[in-house]
Amino acid sequence: MIFKSAHYCIFVQNKSGMNTTEQVEKILADTNLSTELQNIAHKVLHGERITFDEGVYLYEHAELGYLGVLANSIREQKHGDKTYFNRNFHLEPTNLCVYDCKFCSYSRLIKQKEEGWALTMEQMLDIVKKYDGEPVTEVHIVGGVLPQYDVAFYSALFTAIKQHRPDLHVKALTPVEYHYIFKKAKIDYATGMRLMKEAGLESIPGGGAEIFHPEIREQIAKDKCTGEQWLAIHEEWHKLGMRSNATMLYGHIEKYWHRVDHMEKLRELQDRTGGFQTFIPLKFRNQHNQMSNVSESSVIEDLRNYAIARIYMDNFDHIKAYWAMISRETAQLSLNYGVDDIDGTLDDTTKIYSMAGAEEQTPAMSTKELVNLIKQVGRKAIERDTLYNVVTDFENVVFEEEKKPQYYKLPVVN
Ligand code: SF4
């Protein structure tokens, strides 16, 4: 498959033959390109940061082919062909929630309790135990917000998981839950995050960020923590020497400058702490929520957004796309637009994607399928742990069933 845009082609199945520097130089030699786009390409070639206004300009004026060349050159400078995934499972304590985010397809408010679930500590630990002996490296814990899940509950849960399986990395909750439980416990963020660390928490996923700017946040998620509070909690966590991720929910009622404002705030915090690992743009889906009248972004816009994120977020090591949310094919395409990580849930323990109308209704993929998905587009598959230590480099791995001799049914010749 080939995407053509003006003078630039991004090959998905095959690479163009030019190295990424030559591709950017080709852009710079294009006399038809606007001065602004020339300047941005020049900055990317020389590893310089682009400004807020340049970020907005890219959203408003840059073609997909141009963005792909720049984003891919940054991606390959940072990671070459490496494409990361991990083996984890999701633990979702509840889909009942005291909040009422307009875009949320997941939460069943307490008044719709019959459609919801709320797991006990014992039920959660039983789920963890189901993975005993499985080669998973991480448990990702996230769900709705309910009063019974408080500081004491989560502390006990993290401690119990680490006692049962010390090698399992606990990545859990977002500032939405932390703000709520710390406020309820009357403790400040610094104290709360220290208590969570002592209990066994090892990193924070990127959720709950949505769009930071109050103009949008107050329309789509007005009750939960503000953008400033989200950033402050990550900052306290980073001060403890710990790592986290960041997301952005895009493609709904926000304007392009709101996206750049969101990325700018993350970039500023990252300059101060260096604690973020990965930026994850999340595509807004419009099924089963209160924003069903808002159209979803196109695949082209999704790829443009990944590429601009890669160009703008110069101090973030990784850009991630959730294959389960955007489809396997778009995930493959995204690897040429700045993405170097496609997550890797290997079973269907999460309901978050499917309830929002994601492409994958039963997001399950074996390691072999995931590795082949990456290799099919000429990239190298690397299984990582949560902190991007290499678990397995799949470059020369041959899967068991591929070693078996193949027998074909031949026509009988009389
Ligand atoms: S997005 Fe999160 S905080 Fe908002 S309603 Fe859904 S589960 Fe609750």
Side-chain angles (χ1 to χ4, degrees), residues 19-127:
N19 66 37
T20 54
T21 305
E22 289 165 344
Q23 288 171 1
V24 180
E25 282 168 349
K26 189 176 172 197
I27 284 181
L28 283 166
D30 182 352
T31 50
N32 293 320
L33 210 61
S34 70
T35 311
E36 289 85 351
L37 292 179
Q38 289 266 358
N39 289 342
I40 293 169
H42 189 272
K43 283 187 169 181
V44 169
L45 188 63
H46 294 90
E48 293 168 29
R49 173 170 284 190
I50 69 166
T51 64
F52 181 96
D53 288 345
E54 287 170 332
V56 176
Y57 190 90
L58 283 180
Y59 273 118
E60 289 177 347
H61 300 284
E63 292 177 341
L64 179 64
Y66 166 96
L67 292 170
V69 168
L70 297 195
N72 193 48
S73 79
I74 298 167
R75 185 243 200 258
E76 293 199 5
Q77 271 167 36
K78 285 182 181 283
H79 307 291
D81 280 330
K82 288 179 188 161
T83 299
Y84 297 96
F85 69 94
N86 73 341
R87 292 204 243 197
N88 66 3
F89 65 96
H90 285 230
L91 187 55
E92 296 174 4
T94 181
N95 68 341
L96 302 172
C97 188
V98 297
Y99 296 125
D100 185 23
C101 303
K102 302 291 176 244
F103 58 85
C104 183
S105 316
Y106 178 75
S107 162
R108 296 293 176 264
L109 283 174
I110 296 168
K111 60 186 179 213
Q112 302 168 299
K113 204 168 180 178
E114 66 285 356
E115 294 174 30
W117 69 82
L119 303 181
T120 63
M121 175 82 66
E122 201 179 16
Q123 286 171 318
M124 284 189 241
L125 292 174
D126 283 346
I127 293 171

Side-chain angles (χ1 to χ4, degrees), residues 7-241:
H7 314 283
Y8 319 113
C9 299
I10 296 294
F11 289 81
V12 174
Q13 298 290 357
N14 304 295
K15 302 225 180 147
S16 66
M18 281 191 280
N19 66 37
T20 54
T21 305
E22 289 165 344
Q23 288 171 1
V24 180
E25 282 168 349
K26 189 176 172 197
I27 284 181
L28 283 166
D30 182 352
T31 50
N32 293 320
L33 210 61
S34 70
T35 311
E36 289 85 351
L37 292 179
Q38 289 266 358
N39 289 342
I40 293 169
H42 189 272
K43 283 187 169 181
V44 169
L45 188 63
H46 294 90
E48 293 168 29
R49 173 170 284 190
I50 69 166
T51 64
F52 181 96
D53 288 345
E54 287 170 332
V56 176
Y57 190 90
L58 283 180
Y59 273 118
E60 289 177 347
H61 300 284
E63 292 177 341
L64 179 64
Y66 166 96
L67 292 170
V69 168
L70 297 195
N72 193 48
S73 79
I74 298 167
R75 185 243 200 258
E76 293 199 5
Q77 271 167 36
K78 285 182 181 283
H79 307 291
D81 280 330
K82 288 179 188 161
T83 299
Y84 297 96
F85 69 94
N86 73 341
R87 292 204 243 197
N88 66 3
F89 65 96
H90 285 230
L91 187 55
E92 296 174 4
T94 181
N95 68 341
L96 302 172
C97 188
V98 297
Y99 296 125
D100 185 23
C101 303
K102 302 291 176 244
F103 58 85
C104 183
S105 316
Y106 178 75
S107 162
R108 296 293 176 264
L109 283 174
I110 296 168
K111 60 186 179 213
Q112 302 168 299
K113 204 168 180 178
E114 66 285 356
E115 294 174 30
W117 69 82
L119 303 181
T120 63
M121 175 82 66
E122 201 179 16
Q123 286 171 318
M124 284 189 241
L125 292 174
D126 283 346
I127 293 171
V128 172
K129 286 173 190 163
K130 259 178 44 192
Y131 291 87
D132 286 357
E134 297 284 334
V136 289
T137 57
E138 171 190 286
V139 54
H140 181 144
I141 306 172
V142 72
V145 179
L146 280 187
Q148 66 262 39
Y149 299 117
D150 57 9
V151 168
F153 183 93
Y154 280 122
S155 299
L157 176 67
F158 300 159
T159 302
I161 293 172
K162 291 307 287 183
Q163 274 170 357
H164 176 71
R165 189 165 171 180
D167 63 319
L168 197 62
H169 183 107
V170 175
K171 181 171 84 175
L173 315 186
T174 72
V176 177
E177 290 100 326
Y178 289 127
H179 171 76
Y180 179 87
I181 66 176
F182 297 161
K183 197 172 160 202
K184 199 159 164 274
K186 297 187 174 49
I187 53 176
D188 61 24
Y189 295 160
T191 308
M193 292 322 299
R194 183 177 48 74
L195 290 175
M196 293 296 110
K197 185 182 174 198
E198 285 167 7
L201 180 70
E202 288 164 295
S203 62
I204 308 184
E210 326 313 356
I211 289 285
F212 292 142
H213 199 286
E215 213 172 271
I216 300 301
R217 199 173 186 85
E218 279 166 19
Q219 291 183 65
I220 64 171
K222 73 176 161 61
D223 301 324
K224 65 186 186 187
C225 72
T226 64
E228 288 72 30
Q229 289 163 339
W230 190 100
L231 290 159
I233 287 175
H234 279 263
E235 185 158 8
E236 290 303 335
W237 184 241
H238 294 171
K239 280 186 201 163
L240 297 170

Side-chain angles (χ1 to χ4, degrees), residues 85 87 346 365-376 381 394 398-403 406:
F85 69 94
R87 292 204 243 197
L346 297 177
M365 198 163 17
S366 70
T367 306
K368 182 185 169 190
E369 284 175 305
L370 200 56
V371 167
N372 285 342
L373 195 82
I374 294 166
K375 285 185 172 177
Q376 275 166 7
F394 281 90
V398 178
F399 289 93
E400 272 307 308
E401 46 284 39
E402 289 173 358
K403 286 188 201 154
Q406 302 281 316

